[in-house]
Amino acid sequence: NAGVMQNPRHLVRRRGQEARLRCSPMKGHSHVYWYRQLPEEGLKFMVYLQKENIIDESGMPKERFSAEFPKEGPSILRIQQVVRGDSAAYFCASSPLGGQSYNEQFFGPGTRLTVL
Amino acid sequence: DQQVKQNSPSLSVQEGRISILNCDYTNSMFDYFLWYKKYPAEGPTFLISISSIKDKNEDGRFTVFLNKSAKHLSLHIVPSQPGDSAVYFCAASAKGSQGNLIFGKGTKLSVKP
């Protein structure tokens, strides 16, 4: 039973380019959470999605960031017109029981985004 | 405004001894707490959790204690092993939330042989 998969593991972009980060949840999990970790910081919640629905995007920056979790395929976190401050590790987590406080989330290995 | 605080950035312990990692929180709506372990260049790995209706949960060498009145929890690892060396994150989720986790900044544990 494969764990949460994220790709690419490392992504380098120049300022102004687009970054696309992909996440495949664990088998049987239909709840996906995205988090961002800046250097020397803890993980910060960005967005929570179920299949075809954004449930909570209260942690997402208002501009340039978007997320989706289509009926088929992985969840995608998209960052348009990247800036240096977007450089961070982006982690995806999946859960069998999202939408409530009592849920254990299982994390992928992360995508490390570097903006030159 | 940090709702989950891990005030010790690092902790060094001798192999075989007990490691105690501490975490404080400010939000009284938190009702579920989790500890994650993280190695460099990897994602966090779930270790143990506790709900607010309990004050202790044990799993092998790992025990989490919750003191609701003090808004404090701790993770005990005994006996500590060199493979336990990693960054440990405390996380919490709030009653009525969609389950998003609020993380502390982490404590780097070094277990020396």
Side-chain angles (χ1 to χ4, degrees), chain A residues 75-92:
Chain A
S75 176
I76 306 283
L77 179 67
R78 182 195 296 178
I79 311 172
Q80 295 178 299
Q81 299 171 352
V82 296
V83 301
R84 289 224 173 102
D86 297 333
S87 295
Y90 292 81
F91 292 98
C92 165

Side-chain angles (χ1 to χ4, degrees), chain A residues 9 33 35 37 40-45 48 55-56 91 98-110 112, chain B residues 31-32 34 36 38 40-44 46 49 51-53 89 93-101 103-105:
Chain A
R9 294 292 307 273
Y33 297 80
Y35 294 83
Q37 184 184 25
E40 309 301 323
E41 296 285 325
L43 283 71
K44 296 275 197 307
F45 166 74
Y48 161 48
I55 307 301
D56 180 356
F91 292 98
Q100 58 180 23
S101 59
Y102 283 50
N103 81 97
E104 288 150 15
Q105 297 177 22
F106 299 88
F107 284 81
R112 274 140 193 91
Chain B
D31 66 348
Y32 195 59
L34 308 90
Y36 285 85
K38 187 180 181 301
E42 294 186 12
F46 170 75
S49 62
S51 71
S52 59
I53 61 174
F89 289 99
S93 61
K95 184 177 181 180
S97 75
Q98 296 289 346
N100 50 292
L101 298 176
F103 281 84
K105 290 190 176 184

